[in-house]
Structures are given as C-alpha cells and as structure tokens.
Amino acid sequence: MAEVPNQNPSVGRILHYTSYGTPGGEYSKECRAAVVTETHGSDASGEIVSLAVLNPGGMFFAQRCAQGDQLHGEHPPGAYGGTWHWPERV
Ligand SMILES: [Zn+2]
C-alpha cells in the first residue's frame, strides 16, 4: 500500500482521485483533486470514500471509491483508475 499519513480521510478534505486512462493509451491515468463528500468505513484496501472529483473541464461525483496506491513516483500496480490516494509529495 502507498505511503499514507497516519490519519483517515474525512468530509471536506482534498484527496487525489486516479482517473481512468483509455485502453489504447490516448489518455493516461491522471491525478485529479477530489473533495471527500462521505466516508464509508474501511475494507482490506483501506478507507472507502465518496468524492466530488474536480476535473479541469468539469466535476463529477464518484461513490464508494476504494483506496489505491499513489500514481506518481513508482507507478505501483495498485494505482488503478477509480481509486483515491493521498496527494503525492512534490
Ligand atoms: Zn496523486
């Protein structure tokens, strides 16, 4: 699992949502800013949260997103589209 702060996501905090890339690679997975709208406890992958995802061209609401790995740095296999992670340190 990714490096994570010793804390849990809570409503109103900003996380990263990993967008889905296209299978052909026309679009790659990207980190998008996302505001936590609801928390749903945890499962084996981590915390489950619902998010307001802020894309450059608009926003959408994603329900019950699982926790994944960070997208940047090592590109770990758990950086799946549709998951959230703590913002990478830059
Ligand atoms: Zn990120």
Side-chain angles (χ1 to χ4, degrees):
M1 185 176 299
E3 163 197 358
V4 292
N6 185 23
Q7 53 194 324
N8 294 327
S10 56
V11 171
R13 294 199 69 179
I14 295 183
L15 307 174
H16 277 185
Y17 172 87
T18 300
S19 67
Y20 291 93
T22 51
E26 296 92 340
Y27 295 94
S28 57
K29 288 184 281 191
E30 301 287 349
C31 290
R32 298 302 186 203
V35 180
V36 178
T37 57
E38 194 171 13
T39 59
H40 305 282
S42 60
D43 70 2
S45 71
E47 300 290 321
I48 307 297
V49 298
S50 291
L51 300 168
V53 180
L54 310 177
N55 287 297
M59 64 186 292
F60 73 96
F61 297 91
Q63 310 299 321
R64 295 182 176 274
C65 298
Q67 188 170 2
D69 286 331
Q70 291 176 321
L71 183 58
H72 293 290
E74 303 165 14
H75 289 273
Y80 297 116
T83 63
W84 72 269
H85 55 271
W86 294 105
E88 290 87 346
R89 295 181 194 280
V90 293

